[in-house]
Amino acid sequence: MSGPPEPEEFDPGLARERTRLAWTRTAVAFAAVGAAVLKTRLVAGLIVLALAAVVWGLRHLFRDTFLGPGPGDDPDAGRHPERLLGITATVVAVAAVALVIAFLGHSPVTRP
Amino acid sequence: MPAEQRPQPAPASDAEPDARYTFANERTFLAWTRTALAFIVAGLGIVQLLPPFPGVPWGRHLLGVPLIVLGAVIAVVGYVQMIGNQRALRRREPLRRSSLPVILAASITALAVVTGVVLLLSATSRA
């Protein structure tokens, strides 16, 4: 890259803020699925909603991206993209719950 | 399609990319995650909220179950892609072309065709 360094190369504040917003949108997406599951499976729906709250909390727990260190951090810190595997595993688990609901229908608790 | 790199320790040129690229990679992963969740909620909605198609009693499952499965697939492929992208960023290598747009286009087209067939069958059924 040529030219003088831009301020954002040292402090990607805008990128960090956009990433936090992306995490918030992702938490909302989890909550939408939780609400849909809640319609037929009370316990599973509450669990998914709780997971949405965890995803939302994650954006506060971690200063910077999961994928790399932030300014001032230990250079080896944060090089753990595999930590995001938990998010993917959660989505796959939610898909499994959705399949169970699709094939088994309403649970006795919520049956009208 | 570039050849697979043989396994080796991180090369000397392995370096932390500009944080903005890392953040962009993370946002891309989250965007695909949200797409996966949208597929899942769509599949669940079709099975749970739609009335049965007359003449095609398994119609809702035919549409909804693949959507849910596709949601899981998109989530996994999005994660694998994110890991590969981060590795390429660190090594200053070109990023691989994403396979997800093709997967999305093909699956949505196929589901649209199946939906059309189900609708035609139920419209012409004598149930």
Side-chain angles (χ1 to χ4, degrees):
Chain A
M1 299 171 204
S2 57
E6 303 170 12
E8 270 246 318
E9 285 186 23
F10 301 113
D11 179 20
L14 286 178
R16 190 178 297 126
E17 188 173 334
R18 287 168 65 195
T19 308
R20 284 218 185 99
L21 289 174
W23 276 102
T24 302
R25 290 197 298 276
T26 308
V28 170
F30 271 103
V33 179
V37 171
L38 194 67
K39 187 179 184 300
T40 58
R41 285 273 196 281
L42 183 67
V43 173
L46 290 175
I47 289 174
V48 176
L49 284 175
L51 288 170
V54 167
V55 170
W56 187 82
L58 279 172
R59 67 184 179 91
H60 288 299
L61 279 175
F62 293 93
R63 270 188 60 227
D64 276 296
T65 171
F66 284 81
L67 304 182
D73 284 347
D74 173 3
D76 287 328
R79 288 182 188 170
H80 297 287
E82 64 279 358
R83 285 182 188 161
L84 290 174
L85 184 59
I87 300 291
T88 303
T90 303
V91 175
V92 172
V94 167
V97 168
L99 283 175
V100 167
I101 293 174
F103 287 116
L104 299 184
H106 286 72
S107 75
V109 175
T110 54
R111 191 186 305 278
Chain B
M1 185 82 78
E4 273 299 314
Q5 299 231 345
R6 63 183 187 281
Q8 57 190 348
S13 58
D14 189 4
E16 195 61 33
D18 185 329
R20 285 174 293 174
Y21 300 143
T22 301
F23 279 121
N25 191 19
E26 182 170 327
R27 284 198 306 278
T28 304
F29 164 74
L30 292 175
W32 284 116
T33 301
R34 288 196 301 279
T35 305
L37 288 168
F39 269 69
I40 293 171
V41 81
L44 195 53
I46 285 174
V47 173
Q48 289 293 306
L49 300 179
L50 289 184
F53 289 99
V56 191
W58 32 265
R60 292 174 300 168
H61 287 76
L62 185 63
L63 298 174
V65 169
L67 276 170
I68 294 172
V69 172
L70 271 165
V73 168
I74 288 169
V76 170
V77 175
Y79 171 80
V80 169
Q81 223 170 244
M82 182 267 299
I83 295 286
N85 283 344
Q86 196 63 22
R87 186 176 303 132
L89 284 172
R90 295 182 59 84
R91 296 179 183 173
R92 302 283 193 268
E93 293 167 358
L95 301 183
R96 283 192 174 212
R97 194 182 66 180
S98 169
S99 57
L100 281 167
V102 172
I103 294 174
L104 227 61
S107 54
I108 290 175
T109 302
L111 280 167
V113 169
V114 171
T115 303
V117 169
V118 169
L119 286 172
L120 279 172
L121 283 176
S122 70
T124 58
S125 81
R126 301 182 188 281

